[in-house]
């Protein structure tokens, strides 16, 4: 059971992989927020259940009576791993113990001194899992064909030779969002590169309808998560704030430039062989200059051109 949003879930992927390798013959069921479940590939888990599933309601209620639905779900569980906030973990653990689960591990999912992916692996040491022998880089296979993305590529006239750069302007915290005017200024520089298209991505929390974009820059809003993963997998570069979508891009193996302000990237930063993290020296994300990003983009673009 894993609490947390998209970025938290992605940083759990190495631990889930470790559980799968440690118990290859067992059936692995993941309980998590409904919005992250589209990212789960069933080579990693055998089944999923959303936290808002009515069958789990009693599990999060103190002193609740076990229901037949809960009994059907948990009566044959050998091991339960709870990465939940302490208050929820205590209630869930007490309720699960009624089903005579052979082993239960309840661990705080919030790290204090190590990277979150390493911390979550450390919580599995009692199971004979050694974090030092495992790859703690989250990885996701590109999403299978998306009709939405295929139609978008056709509408924009994008070809395999087009350099496509995605920029995600959102984040769950306003203090983690680079100013929209900076993204507009950066997009204006990028589209000056021949045969280059910018896709400016936003979620429901960001209102960029008044932002004037240059030619060859397209705004895409509220894209479904599975379609977004398919879209990112087709891009040559991703730029974004400290957000779950930035972790998604990195886990897909994309060249990623991540902007950090108040959050410590040594604990919460995206991981990957092609990840560049730019953190504001003042810890105010507004203070990351456009020029610094432009230099990082040119570095990545040059490396890609030399590799072709």
């Amino acid at each position: 059971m894993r609490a947390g949003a998209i970025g938290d879930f992605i940083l759990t992927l190495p631990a889930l992989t470790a559980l799968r390798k440690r118990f290859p013959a067992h059936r692995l069921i993941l309980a998590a927020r409904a919005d992250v479940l589209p990212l789960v590939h069933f080579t990693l888990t055998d089944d999923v259940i959303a936290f808002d599933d009515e069958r789990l309601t009693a599990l999060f209620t103190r002193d609740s009576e076990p229901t037949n639905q809960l009994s059907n779900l948990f009566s044959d569980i050998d091991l339960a791993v709870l990465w939940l906030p302490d208050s929820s973990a205590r209630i869930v653990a007490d309720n699960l113990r009624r089903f005579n689960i052979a082993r239960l591990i309840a661990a705080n999912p919030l790290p204090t001194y190590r990277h979150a992916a390493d911390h979550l692996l450390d919580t599995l040491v009692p199971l004979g899992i050694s974090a030092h022998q495992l790859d703690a880089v989250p990885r996701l296979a590109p999403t299978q064909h998306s009709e939405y993305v295929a139609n978008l590529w056709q509408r924009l006239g994008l070809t395999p030779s087009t350099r496509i750069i995605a920029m995600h302007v959102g984040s769950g915290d306003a203090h983690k969002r680079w100013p929209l005017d900076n993204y507009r200024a950066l997009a204006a520089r990028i589209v000056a590169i021949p045969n280059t298209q910018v896709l400016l991505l936003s979620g429901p929390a960001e209102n960029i309808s008044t932002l004037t974009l240059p030619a060859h820059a397209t705004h895409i809003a509220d894209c479904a998560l599975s379609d977004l993963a398919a879209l990112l997998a087709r891009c040559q570069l991703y730029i974004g704030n400290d957000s779950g979508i930035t972790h998604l891009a990195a886990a897909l193996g994309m060249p990623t430039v991540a902007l950090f302000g108040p959050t410590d990237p040594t604990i919460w930063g995206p991981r990957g062989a092609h990840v560049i993290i730019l953190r504001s020296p003042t810890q105010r994300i507004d203070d990351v200059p456009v020029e610094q990003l432009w230099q990082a983009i040119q570095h990545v673009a040059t490396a890609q051109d030399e590799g072709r």
Side-chain angles (χ1 to χ4, degrees):
M1 304 188 75
R2 174 59 164 127
I6 296 169
D8 302 307
F9 169 73
I10 289 173
L11 291 177
T12 312
L13 290 173
L16 289 175
T17 302
L19 281 171
R20 170 60 85 195
K21 290 181 177 178
R22 175 66 178 82
F23 303 104
H26 280 66
R27 183 165 176 253
L28 180 60
I29 304 171
L30 171 69
R33 280 178 34 164
D35 56 347
V36 308
L37 296 183
L39 298 177
V40 178
H41 294 278
F42 291 107
T43 54
L44 184 59
T45 67
D46 298 293
D47 204 353
V48 295
I49 185 169
F51 279 151
D52 60 1
D53 190 302
E54 63 179 10
R55 293 174 294 173
L56 295 185
T57 301
L59 199 60
F60 289 90
T61 306
R62 187 175 297 281
D63 299 325
S64 63
E65 289 298 323
T67 64
N68 290 335
Q69 291 176 318
L70 276 181
S71 297
N72 292 335
L73 278 174
F74 295 108
S75 59
D76 60 349
I77 297 292
D78 297 306
L79 165 68
V81 179
L82 311 181
W83 290 305
L84 303 171
D86 285 344
S87 56
S88 298
R90 286 192 293 270
I91 296 171
V92 172
D94 287 344
N95 286 328
L96 283 179
R97 288 189 181 100
R98 303 181 189 184
F99 299 106
N100 298 316
I101 292 174
R103 192 163 193 183
L104 189 148
I105 292 178
N108 190 335
L110 297 178
T112 55
Y113 69 96
R114 297 194 70 194
H115 192 277
D118 296 320
H119 166 77
L120 291 167
L121 280 169
D122 285 343
T123 66
L124 303 179
V125 168
L127 301 174
I129 294 173
S130 174
H132 300 293
Q133 300 174 358
L134 296 169
D135 181 1
V137 176
R139 288 184 173 85
L140 281 171
T143 305
Q144 294 181 352
H145 174 77
S146 161
E147 185 174 349
Y148 168 84
V149 174
N151 291 337
L152 175 65
W153 254 238
Q154 184 176 22
R155 177 167 62 84
L156 296 177
L158 303 179
T159 69
S161 65
T162 307
R163 190 195 304 271
I164 304 164
I165 297 179
M167 299 196 300
H168 189 272
V169 303
S171 181
D173 184 338
H175 294 96
K176 299 178 182 179
R177 297 177 198 150
W178 204 44
L180 287 175
D181 283 342
N182 287 7
Y183 275 110
R184 181 194 55 76
L186 185 63
R189 290 195 184 193
I190 292 172
V191 296
I193 303 172
N195 198 28
T196 300
Q197 175 80 34
V198 169
L199 303 180
L200 196 72
L201 314 174
S202 69
E206 297 83 41
N207 180 13
I208 68 171
S209 58
T210 60
L211 192 67
T212 302
L213 295 177
H216 303 293
T218 301
H219 175 216
I220 298 172
D222 300 340
C223 183
L225 190 58
S226 57
D227 289 328
L228 182 58
L231 183 155
L232 292 177
R234 287 197 183 197
C235 296
Q236 282 69 55
L237 175 64
Y238 169 90
I239 303 154
N241 303 320
D242 167 16
S243 71
I245 305 306
T246 298
H247 283 280
L248 174 60
L252 289 167
M254 287 189 61
T256 297
V257 180
L259 299 169
F260 272 68
T263 309
D264 185 353
T266 64
I267 294 178
W268 293 108
R271 280 184 163 177
H274 308 292
V275 173
I276 298 172
I277 297 177
L278 303 179
R279 190 186 190 192
S280 167
T282 64
Q283 299 185 21
R284 293 181 68 254
I285 199 167
D286 298 35
D287 293 335
V288 178
V290 173
E291 185 63 33
Q292 188 176 9
L293 253 78
W294 176 238
Q295 291 174 3
I297 292 167
Q298 289 179 306
H299 173 77
V300 173
T302 299
Q304 289 176 337
D305 289 341
E306 291 175 350
R308 288 179 178 176

